[in-house]
Short mmCIF file of all heavy atoms in Angstrom, two decimals:
data_model
loop_
_atom_site.label_atom_id
_atom_site.label_comp_id
_atom_site.label_asym_id
_atom_site.label_seq_id
_atom_site.Cartn_x
_atom_site.Cartn_y
_atom_site.Cartn_z
N ASP A 130 15.28 28.99 -101.43
CA ASP A 130 15.76 27.91 -100.53
C ASP A 130 16.19 28.42 -99.15
O ASP A 130 16.92 27.71 -98.44
CB ASP A 130 16.94 27.15 -101.17
CG ASP A 130 16.53 26.39 -102.41
OD1 ASP A 130 15.33 26.07 -102.55
OD2 ASP A 130 17.42 26.12 -103.26
N PRO A 175 -0.96 41.78 -76.78
CA PRO A 175 -0.11 42.51 -75.84
C PRO A 175 -0.41 42.15 -74.39
O PRO A 175 -1.54 41.81 -74.03
CB PRO A 175 -0.45 43.97 -76.11
CG PRO A 175 -1.86 43.92 -76.64
CD PRO A 175 -1.94 42.65 -77.45
N GLY A 180 2.54 42.42 -64.61
CA GLY A 180 3.32 41.21 -64.38
C GLY A 180 2.49 39.97 -64.61
O GLY A 180 1.26 39.99 -64.54
#
Side-chain angles (χ1 to χ4, degrees):
D130 294 337

